Amino acid sequence: MIRFFEKGVCTFGTFVSFLGFNHMPLLWSRLGIATIWVVGEWYTSVILVVYLLFPIYRWLFKKHRMTGTIVMAAVYGLNLMYFLKNGGSIWMSYGNVMVYFWIGMLFAEYKQRITKAVYAIDVLLVIVLGSLLPLGIIDYMDDSFSVIYTLVFSVGLFVALYRVPLDATVVKYVSNVSYEVYLLHHRVFLIFLPLLITNESNGKQVLIVFVGLFVMAFLLAELLNRVYGALMKGVLRRR
C-alpha cells in the first residue's frame, strides 16, 4: 500500500496496475509510466474488457448468433496461427478469453439440451484428456495444441461439474474462499514453480506440483479468510 500511493495521491501507473493492465511492461515503459505488482493477475483486465464489450456480445448473440460464433472461431484460429499474444505469452490473450466468454453464453442458452448420453460422453472425454498429463503425452504438444487441449478439457470439465448441486459441501467451501484463492494462488505459483519444476520435469511431476501448490493456495486462502473475518468482527464490535 505504501508503494500504491505517492505523496498521498494515486498515480496513473498504480491505477493501471490495480485494474490488471500492468502485464504490458514494454508499452508502459515506452510511455514513461511506472507500474507495480498488485495482485499479479492479468486476467483482471480481461474481465473488465470482456464485460465492457458485453453489450456487443449480447447484440451479436441475440441478432447474429451464427455469425458471432463464426467470428469467435476465426479469432481463436488466428490467435493459434499467428500468436496474437498479449503480455508476452499465447496464454495471456484477450482473443482466447473472448472466445471462452462466448462459449459460456452458448452453454447458458443450450444447457438444457445436454442429455444423459451427451453428459456421459463428456465425462469420458474429460477422463481421457485428463490422463494425458500424467502420461506425459502433453509434453510433446506445441503451444497451439496445448491451448486447444486446455480449451477442450476446461470446457468439458465445466460441463461435467455443472450437475454438482450448488448446496454441496465442496461447492460451498470453494465459493467461500474463491476470492482469497484468486488473490493468492498466482503468488504461490510464482514463488514455488521455479523451485520445483525444471525443463526436464515430465508431465507426472508437473501434475503433482500443480496439485500440491493448489492445496497450498487453498490452505493460505482459508487462513486469510479467517484472519479477515476476525478483523471484521473486531471492527464491527467497536462500532
Side-chain angles (χ1 to χ4, degrees):
M1 290 303 296
I2 294 175
R3 294 184 61 196
F4 195 80
F5 293 92
E6 289 184 6
K7 298 180 180 179
V9 180
C10 179
T11 65
F12 182 72
T14 52
F15 179 69
V16 165
S17 302
F18 182 76
L19 295 179
F21 289 96
N22 56 328
H23 57 277
M24 298 177 283
L26 291 179
L27 171 63
W28 301 122
S29 62
R30 289 174 182 174
L31 295 176
I33 298 173
T35 59
I36 63 173
W37 182 86
V38 182
V39 179
E41 299 299 341
W42 69 276
Y43 198 72
T44 303
S45 64
V46 180
I47 294 172
L48 293 173
V49 169
V50 169
Y51 276 97
L52 286 173
L53 294 174
F54 180 74
I56 299 175
Y57 269 87
R58 192 62 182 167
W59 174 76
L60 277 174
F61 195 79
K62 286 292 186 181
K63 302 294 184 180
H64 306 282
R65 188 170 304 174
M66 182 58 67
T67 301
T69 302
I70 294 173
V71 169
M72 291 300 165
V75 168
Y76 193 77
L78 288 172
N79 187 58
L80 293 175
M81 292 172 61
Y82 300 106
F83 285 13
L84 307 178
K85 299 179 181 180
N86 188 290
S89 170
I90 192 174
W91 299 98
M92 299 168 67
S93 166
Y94 286 91
N96 283 350
V97 180
M98 289 169 64
V99 173
Y100 299 157
F101 195 85
W102 185 264
I103 292 174
M105 295 176 69
L106 290 172
F107 176 79
E109 182 73 15
Y110 300 111
K111 60 185 178 182
Q112 301 301 330
R113 299 188 183 183
I114 300 177
T115 63
K116 291 183 178 180
V118 172
Y119 182 76
I121 294 173
D122 175 75
V123 172
L124 180 61
L125 177 65
V126 169
I127 294 173
V128 172
L129 292 179
S131 66
L132 297 183
L133 186 58
L135 291 175
I137 298 176
I138 196 173
D139 297 339
Y140 301 98
M141 296 182 182
D142 61 17
D143 285 344
S144 296
F145 279 106
S146 296
V147 171
I148 295 173
Y149 166 85
T150 303
L151 171 66
V152 177
F153 178 72
S154 59
V155 171
L157 183 62
F158 179 84
V159 174
L161 296 176
Y162 170 69
R163 295 192 178 186
V164 177
L166 293 178
D167 59 350
T169 302
V170 65
V171 175
K172 289 183 178 179
Y173 172 73
V174 172
S175 299
N176 189 49
V177 298
S178 60
Y179 185 63
E180 288 83 353
V181 172
Y182 170 76
L183 293 175
L184 292 170
H185 82 278
H186 188 266
R187 199 60 181 172
V188 170
F189 275 70
L190 282 179
I191 293 173
F192 291 100
L193 274 182
L195 301 176
L196 301 173
I197 293 180
T198 66
N199 291 332
E200 288 72 33
S201 300
N202 57 41
K204 187 179 296 184
Q205 293 170 328
V206 171
L207 178 62
I208 293 173
V209 170
F210 265 70
V211 171
L213 292 183
F214 267 116
V215 171
M216 181 185 294
F218 268 92
L219 291 175
L220 291 173
E222 177 69 28
L223 177 61
L224 177 60
N225 183 274
R226 294 190 181 191
V227 170
Y228 174 76
L231 290 174
M232 288 305 298
K233 286 181 180 179
V235 171
L236 294 175
R237 285 176 183 173
R238 290 181 180 180
R239 291 183 178 180

